[in-house]
């Protein structure tokens, strides 16, 4: 198994920057109505299933963000750093001292990109 296979990169969700909580709810409701992606309201966003996260206020990325899951976020960060990818470590989120998410410094196609621990 290669390191890339071991890291198990996969698309987890797409984040859409909305201007207000009402707009975020409308976006999630449309995905629910059309595709059956159940709407779930959170503190800073409204999810439509697990595929779409409508942000209540604009966050990183001109258009929003893309979350990429990995089986080992810390190993993935080290691997990607060795490939010249830079991370904004100020965005890192931890749970019990284990990194759970972190954004890349660059945007791709107007989207911020962050790794998330599976």
């Amino acid at each position: 198994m290669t390191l890339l296979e071991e890291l198990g990169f996969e698309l987890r969700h797409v984040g859409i920057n909305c201007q207000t909580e009402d707009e975020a709810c409308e976006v999630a409701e449309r995905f629910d109505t059309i595709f059956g992606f159940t709407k779930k309201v959170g503190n800073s966003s409204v999810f439509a299933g697990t595929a779409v996260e409508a942000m209540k206020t604009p966050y990183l990325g001109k258009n929003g963000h893309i979350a990429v899951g990995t089986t080992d976020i810390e190993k993935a960060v080290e691997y990607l750093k060795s490939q010249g990818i830079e991370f904004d470590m100020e965005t890192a989120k931890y749970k019990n001292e284990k990194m759970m998410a972190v954004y890349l410094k660059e945007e791709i196609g107007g989207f911020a990109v962050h790794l998330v621990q599976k």
Side-chain angles (χ1 to χ4, degrees):
M1 176 182 290
T2 68
L3 180 56
L4 280 177
E5 291 170 328
E6 182 181 325
L7 292 173
F9 291 126
E10 66 181 22
L11 180 66
R12 297 302 282 203
H13 67 262
V14 174
I16 299 170
N17 283 340
C18 298
Q19 298 301 311
T20 66
E21 182 173 354
D22 287 343
E23 182 186 357
C25 284
E26 289 173 17
V27 167
E29 284 170 9
R30 288 302 293 154
F31 279 95
D32 190 1
T33 298
I34 296 169
F35 302 108
F37 295 172
T38 303
K39 180 179 102 171
K40 181 179 179 196
V41 179
N43 292 333
S44 59
S45 64
V46 184
F47 268 88
T50 58
V52 177
E53 180 182 18
M55 304 303 294
K56 292 180 181 179
T57 59
Y59 191 55
L60 298 177
K62 181 178 109 182
N63 300 319
H65 68 272
I66 297 170
V68 176
T70 180
T71 56
D72 187 331
I73 194 168
E74 293 187 12
K75 189 181 282 188
V77 166
E78 291 309 310
Y79 167 73
L80 292 172
K81 281 182 177 179
S82 78
Q83 302 301 304
I85 303 301
E86 295 181 20
F87 289 86
D88 181 354
M89 296 311 292
E90 291 182 17
T91 67
K93 304 272 191 250
Y94 294 87
K95 183 175 183 179
N96 300 325
E97 299 184 26
K98 171 128 175 79
M99 187 186 303
M100 300 305 289
V102 65
Y103 278 85
L104 281 64
K105 281 191 177 178
E106 70 178 287
E107 287 187 14
I108 302 173
F111 286 88
V113 177
H114 70 100
L115 293 180
V116 293
Q117 179 66 49
K118 290 186 194 178

